[in-house]
Amino acid sequence: MLILTLQHRHRRPLIPHSTYYYRPPASDSAFGTPPVGQIGVHHPREIVRIERDYSAGELTQFSSSYPVELDGRITPTQFMETINDINELLISAYSARHSFIYNFLAITTLHLSTLFLTSHYDKEMRRLKETIEGINTQIYNPVGLNILWPRNVAFLFLEIEYYVRGLCAVHIR
């Protein structure tokens, strides 16, 4: 009974979740194995977490270090271009100048301007969502990867689901 209990504790969860990167992938991970599952239908086999980059202070941006788990699915250049596109939109969204103008207008018009004007932040978030959907459709989904919408986790990290190759695109959750 004790042996069964120990074996049960070491089983991988059916629904994976991302965790902090603190060692290379375990020997029983799905990385580098033949793909199984379908995007949007099955649970991903693994989830790769891309951490925030705090080298520029509290500026919201993600680390551009290429995770070895994505090797064989996308090139380091494709990954770097993806992260750079996302980071550029995040930097623009958190622009102090645009926030000042929007908030100044809101205060001087007793917040009536917010009924007619969309904030720069909201516009950039919409652009970011469209960009991630486009990147997923063109680059990531065909090779069995899917970038999740980082706003769901307050932009603390970026998650990339590890699926099967060559299936149709799926919407961001």
Side-chain angles (χ1 to χ4, degrees):
M1 187 66 166
L2 179 63
I3 295 171
L4 292 175
T5 306
L6 290 175
Q7 288 176 347
H8 181 65
R9 286 185 188 163
H10 294 291
R11 288 181 60 200
R12 296 178 55 78
L14 295 177
I15 302 173
H17 60 279
S18 67
T19 58
Y20 289 107
Y21 183 81
Y22 55 93
R23 68 176 185 270
S27 60
D28 65 340
S29 72
F31 301 118
T33 62
V36 176
Q38 185 176 5
I39 296 174
V41 175
H42 300 101
H43 295 295
R45 299 209 41 213
E46 300 283 348
I47 296 179
V48 179
R49 180 185 279 196
I50 310 301
E51 296 296 330
R52 282 262 304 263
D53 181 7
Y54 291 100
S55 63
E58 290 297 315
L59 185 65
T60 304
Q61 60 184 5
F62 296 107
S63 173
S64 58
S65 328
Y66 181 73
V68 296
E69 293 88 355
L70 301 181
D71 197 28
R73 296 282 180 121
I74 59 169
T75 65
T77 305
Q78 289 172 317
F79 176 77
M80 185 92 67
E81 288 172 355
T82 299
I83 297 298
N84 287 341
D85 290 345
I86 291 171
N87 285 343
E88 284 177 17
L89 288 169
L90 287 172
I91 290 168
S92 175
Y94 288 98
S95 164
R97 179 178 56 126
H98 288 99
S99 295
F100 175 78
I101 292 169
Y102 181 76
N103 289 328
F104 179 78
L105 269 172
I107 291 169
T108 57
T109 62
L110 301 173
H111 291 279
L112 291 175
S113 66
T114 60
L115 299 173
F116 306 105
L117 296 175
T118 304
S119 71
H120 178 73
Y121 177 82
D122 290 336
K123 290 177 189 175
E124 291 299 300
M125 287 298 109
R126 198 173 311 118
R127 279 186 52 206
L128 178 61
K129 190 163 191 157
E130 291 168 0
T131 299
I132 291 175
E133 286 174 354
I135 290 170
N136 272 338
T137 303
Q138 296 171 2
I139 299 170
Y140 284 73
N141 290 162
V143 294
L145 300 172
N146 187 52
I147 301 174
L148 296 177
W149 178 226
R151 195 173 195 177
N152 294 342
V153 290
F155 297 102
L156 293 175
F157 48 85
L158 185 68
E159 292 180 312
I160 302 175
E161 295 178 321
Y162 196 87
Y163 282 100
V164 67
R165 297 177 191 262
L167 294 172
C168 61
V170 62
H171 297 292
I172 297 175
R173 289 188 225 171

